[in-house]
Amino acid sequence: MWRYPKILAHRGGGTLAPENTMAGLRCGMQAGFRAIEFDVMLARDGVPVVMHDPFLGRTVPGSGHVYDYDALELAAMDAGGWFGRAHEGEPVPLFVEFAQFCKAHGVWMNIELKPAPGYEIETGGVVARIAAAMFADELAAGQMERVPLLSSFSIDALMAAREVAPQLPRACLMSELPPDWERRAREVGAVAIHTNHRHLTPQQARGVKAAGFGLFCYTVDEPARARELLDWGVDAFCTDRIDLIPPDFLTRIK
Ligand code: G3P
Ligand code: MG
């Protein structure tokens, strides 16, 4: 069962703002979104930061890996200038600050665990421990619709998250559903399957739903495709085109 919002802004503000930044988050919120997906990995000092690539160069000028720098060093770097001059100096967010802002503003989070190779277990454990502490009251009260959903392509990261915070929901990210998708999802105790909509078939969508999992697709940028996926039984999706597929998209198409 999917108890969460159905349309999420991908990486905060989709392609309308620098990804995985506070500016991106604010852009998504400005467009009315109260649910986002974003990526988290560990800096050298083991502090999680909000970033997609495990290396510098694309969104943050510089070279080397994210794990070559401490979190505060990354936070002093420019994660917005690549997008445009208006966003120059936008920092790499610290996960804790980013998540606290989301929580304070009622923005539901799909936290994608994005470990650098070799850091899967550490990343899953650290992020899950922090998220569980941040949402301890909601977890105790059974307000599961408010608790973040942890997703990852890494089974090891999800297993580590389960080890330290079994009460936090998890989702298996799979670009394409392999024949043994259900075994993998059950192995990590996942509540949902997150998959690339480009590879999904209607039969697979039915199979996932019939097996009792939530079904989430990334990254859906065309309204007609969004309607089609929802017709297939897809529960939710994230979009880079928060201008074309706004959060009230569902009420508009009814
Ligand atoms: O979580 C869905 C999607 O973000 C996965 O791919 O590369 O955009 O993080 P990516
Ligand atoms: Mg992601």
Side-chain angles (χ1 to χ4, degrees), residues 8 36-38 108-112 148-151 194 216:
L8 280 61
I36 63 162
E37 184 269 2
F38 60 94
W108 181 73
M109 294 176 267
N110 169 202
I111 302 169
E112 184 185 343
L149 175 61
L150 306 181
S151 60
H194 290 202
F216 174 96

Side-chain angles (χ1 to χ4, degrees), residues 156-212:
D156 287 345
L158 291 170
M159 290 291 238
R162 179 159 86 168
E163 186 72 25
V164 306
Q167 68 279 35
L168 278 184
R170 293 167 300 282
C172 254
L173 259 165
M174 295 180 254
S175 168
E176 205 166 340
L177 293 195
D180 65 342
W181 65 266
E182 186 171 352
R183 183 191 61 75
R184 294 192 201 193
R186 299 217 182 274
E187 190 182 356
V188 299
V191 300
I193 304 295
H194 290 202
T195 194
N196 188 331
H197 75 94
R198 293 178 196 285
H199 308 304
L200 186 69
T201 67
Q203 292 83 346
Q204 286 174 331
R206 277 197 294 276
V208 170
K209 294 307 301 170

Side-chain angles (χ1 to χ4, degrees), residues 10-11 20 37-39 52 112 114 153 173:
H10 188 226
R11 304 184 192 175
N20 290 318
E37 184 269 2
F38 60 94
D39 308 289
H52 181 275
E112 184 185 343
K114 204 75 151 177
F153 289 104
L173 259 165

Side-chain angles (χ1 to χ4, degrees), residues 92-109:
V92 174
L94 301 178
F95 165 64
V96 168
E97 292 181 4
F98 193 87
Q100 273 169 346
F101 184 93
C102 287
K103 183 170 191 252
H105 290 82
V107 176
W108 181 73
M109 294 176 267

